[in-house]
Amino acid sequence: MSLDWLLIGALLAAPAADAPGEAWSARLSGDLLAIDAALRDSHPGMFDARNPGFGPQLDAALAQARSRAVTVDSHAGYWWTLKGYTATFNDGHVSLNALAGAPQLATRWPGFLTGFDGDAQTVMSREESATLPPLGASLVACDGVDAQVLARQRVGDFSGRWNLQASRIHAGGEVLLDQGNPFIATPLMCTFLVQGRKMDYPLLWRPIDAAALAPRLADTRRSFRPANGMHRMRGGGYWITTSSFNADPAKSNFKELNQLLQTLAAQTGALQEAPMVVLDVRGNSGGASQWSLELARLIWGRERVDAIGDPTWVEWRASKANLAQLQAFQTKLKGSPGAAPEMLVMLDTVTAGMAQALTQGEPLWHASRPQDAASAPVAVETPARPGGNVIVLADASCGSACLDALDLWKQLGAIQVGVETSADTVYMDVRPEPLPSGLARISIPMKVFRGRTRGFNEALVPECRYAGDMRDGAALENWVLQVDAARRREARCP
């Protein structure tokens, strides 16, 4: 069971933005040492026998960042050094987040943004101006640097996992942004392919504020997070949206998903016999896997779902900080109505096991392996679901517990459509580590998965790819109906 909702922490007051240059270098150095210490203290990779390179990787990442730190004299230098540091892990669960009150990066743009459409970078958002490349124009190069190399240098090297299509979709809109990164050059001239002809466009940089930038970046990603809920489709199908698996009882998502499950439970017969069920997880970047398990039981039936054997098991890094994080959430969950009993049992087991490991001086606590547990489920033949196709609609945001959901649902026979998902490593379930400067926090994975079929940073590829705008719900619903009709005719995709 994944619990990636644990990145919950108090926001700290940030220091003044107009600190002298030497103060930024000192703050950065202090934060780097704090991150390195936290990872060594609490990350399972430090004692992962299957990843002997983790310790040397920590050493190399710190050395590179410290070499940059001596030249840093601004908040932008501080921020991009830490972004480059976290990117070296190629792990979405080792992430950097600014805290409330931290300075905002001054941002400039050339009046347009490109985004990734497959491997091509095309203009997806622009001001109205005859001097700018038109929508759909393909980026060839800037200042003689090939577009692919440019994207990696300007964005991929500071975000990580650039080999993933989902990472390029999510962050590709930042290729032609200037946010004060002192470690990259600002382009002056770019070449585009416009209706088969190469054309040069000078970049005239001008400021853009966060409010104006947000919808522009959304245009490059062509996706968003819809509201949780359910509606009936024409023909009698169910369209079920779970855009987050956050399990924090203090968040509205917890109440919304509990209400959704209660609504669906009241019509289980109709749900299981429906001619089609669509599971819409657009915008879902993870949370707790208990939600997807409960949803599966309602759609396919508890007997069928619970009959599936689970070959996975986990090892938790035993540290005082990890234990305190789990115990804090355990207390919060026990006081909340609607908490899943299985989740509470799991937390009881893990906290007790981790506490015992700490007492015995063991760096890892090993959860029971399937072959060790007498009650481990055994795969048996169960009746097929009486209804029609179950279709999972996912986008590039799908990661962590969302990926676990797709693993389970596809094993039960669901058809994945949409665009390629994100991916994750085997290091999961994060806790926040606020940094001494008060400017940011880093997330620290607490456990390592074992026995998972899906590989390290392996994305899930849709059977039918959607080429349109994932924000257009009406167009998506029509397309999904076409997918369902095609599958009924034993055709592959519309």
Side-chain angles (χ1 to χ4, degrees), residues 242-243 245 279-284 392-395 398 402 406 409:
T242 52
S243 57
F245 288 142
L279 296 169
D280 178 3
V281 292
R282 285 175 295 161
N284 191 323
V392 183
L393 176 64
D395 64 9
C398 185
C402 179
L406 266 64
W409 296 341

Side-chain angles (χ1 to χ4, degrees), residues 277-279 296 299-300 304 308 385 388-393 405-417 461-464 483 487:
V277 174
V278 178
L279 296 169
I299 295 170
W300 282 276
R304 182 174 177 80
I308 294 178
R385 181 178 177 275
N389 290 322
V390 177
I391 295 177
V392 183
L393 176 64
L406 266 64
D407 287 340
L408 172 63
W409 296 341
K410 290 173 72 172
Q411 190 175 0
L412 290 162
I415 302 162
Q416 179 190 345
V417 304
V461 179
E463 295 184 37
C464 295
V483 171
R487 297 303 293 247

Side-chain angles (χ1 to χ4, degrees), residues 287-312:
S289 58
Q290 185 66 32
W291 298 116
S292 58
L293 176 63
E294 293 299 334
L295 193 53
R297 287 167 172 166
L298 293 174
I299 295 170
W300 282 276
R302 178 177 288 270
E303 179 183 4
R304 182 174 177 80
V305 173
D306 291 355
I308 294 178
D310 184 1
T312 64

Side-chain angles (χ1 to χ4, degrees), residues 42 148 168 174 232 328:
S42 295
Q148 299 294 332
R168 299 192 297 273
E174 300 173 23
R232 299 299 297 270

Side-chain angles (χ1 to χ4, degrees), residues 19 36 101 111 114 130 354 376 490:
D36 183 74
T114 59
M354 190 181 291
E490 298 186 356

Side-chain angles (χ1 to χ4, degrees), residues 24 49 60 64 70 117 126 129 183 194 243 258 278 316 341 362 391 400 469:
W24 284 111
Q64 181 195 54
V70 298
D117 185 2
R126 70 190 291 274
S129 173
F183 309 111
V194 182
S243 57
N258 268 320
V278 178
W316 290 85
E362 295 291 337
I391 295 177
S400 196
D469 192 328

Side-chain angles (χ1 to χ4, degrees), residues 16-359:
D18 57 352
E22 60 271 18
W24 284 111
S25 181
R27 284 173 182 163
L28 173 57
S29 296
D31 282 358
L32 284 169
L33 290 176
I35 295 171
D36 183 74
L39 288 168
R40 293 178 188 277
D41 173 74
S42 295
H43 195 295
M46 284 299 299
F47 292 91
D48 183 1
R50 303 183 191 182
N51 186 12
F54 186 81
Q57 181 186 16
L58 272 180
D59 295 337
L62 182 61
Q64 181 195 54
R66 293 180 78 173
S67 69
R68 285 177 168 173
V70 298
T71 67
V72 165
D73 59 2
S74 67
H75 171 249
Y78 162 92
W79 179 257
W80 290 111
T81 299
L82 287 184
K83 286 287 287 182
Y85 173 87
T86 56
T88 64
F89 294 94
N90 277 312
D91 185 349
H93 285 114
V94 180
S95 62
L96 182 72
N97 300 92
L99 293 178
Q104 288 195 342
L105 294 171
T107 302
R108 299 189 303 164
W109 75 319
F112 65 94
L113 297 178
T114 59
F116 275 84
D117 185 2
D119 290 331
Q121 297 172 65
T122 62
V123 177
M124 293 185 176
S125 185
R126 70 190 291 274
E127 292 179 334
E128 292 298 326
S129 173
T131 63
L132 298 177
L135 292 174
S138 295
L139 180 64
V140 177
C142 290
D143 297 341
V145 179
D146 176 78
Q148 299 294 332
V149 175
L150 184 81
R152 178 183 56 77
Q153 291 176 343
R154 292 184 59 79
V155 182
D157 288 349
F158 296 89
S159 61
R161 302 186 300 162
W162 202 239
N163 61 303
L164 297 176
Q165 183 183 91
S167 296
R168 299 192 297 273
I169 289 174
H170 179 75
E174 300 173 23
V175 171
L176 292 181
L177 284 181
D178 173 21
Q179 295 181 297
N181 188 337
F183 309 111
I184 56 176
T186 302
L188 300 177
M189 179 77 71
C190 291
T191 303
F192 286 85
L193 192 64
V194 182
Q195 296 181 346
R197 295 176 54 204
K198 288 185 179 181
M199 300 183 65
D200 292 333
Y201 291 88
L203 302 187
L204 303 178
W205 297 93
R206 74 288 307 261
I208 184 170
D209 62 31
L213 179 61
R216 298 288 185 181
L217 286 174
D219 286 340
T220 68
R221 295 166 184 154
R222 297 188 294 182
S223 187
F224 81 127
R225 176 171 287 173
N228 293 319
M230 179 273 290
H231 71 267
R232 299 299 297 270
M233 306 169 65
R234 67 177 186 267
Y238 282 75
W239 187 289
I240 301 169
T241 301
T242 52
S243 57
S244 172
F245 288 142
N246 191 319
D248 182 357
K251 304 296 183 182
S252 60
N253 195 77
F254 182 87
K255 301 178 181 65
E256 291 167 4
L257 290 187
N258 268 320
Q259 181 59 54
L260 176 61
L261 291 175
Q262 292 171 14
T263 300
L264 293 171
Q267 41 193 308
T268 304
L271 178 62
Q272 293 184 7
E273 296 180 3
M276 177 172 58
V277 174
V278 178
L279 296 169
D280 178 3
V281 292
R282 285 175 295 161
N284 191 323
S285 57
S289 58
Q290 185 66 32
W291 298 116
S292 58
L293 176 63
E294 293 299 334
L295 193 53
R297 287 167 172 166
L298 293 174
I299 295 170
W300 282 276
R302 178 177 288 270
E303 179 183 4
R304 182 174 177 80
V305 173
D306 291 355
I308 294 178
D310 184 1
T312 64
W313 55 287
V314 299
E315 293 178 298
W316 290 85
R317 177 67 191 276
S319 76
K320 292 180 180 179
N322 287 350
L323 180 59
Q325 182 70 19
L326 288 168
Q327 289 174 331
F329 194 84
Q330 179 185 34
T331 299
K332 180 184 289 188
L333 204 62
K334 284 183 176 180
S336 304
E342 290 176 57
M343 192 181 298
L344 291 170
V345 169
M346 186 276 291
L347 281 168
D348 287 342
T349 303
V350 172
T351 52
M354 190 181 291
Q356 182 181 28
L358 281 171
T359 300

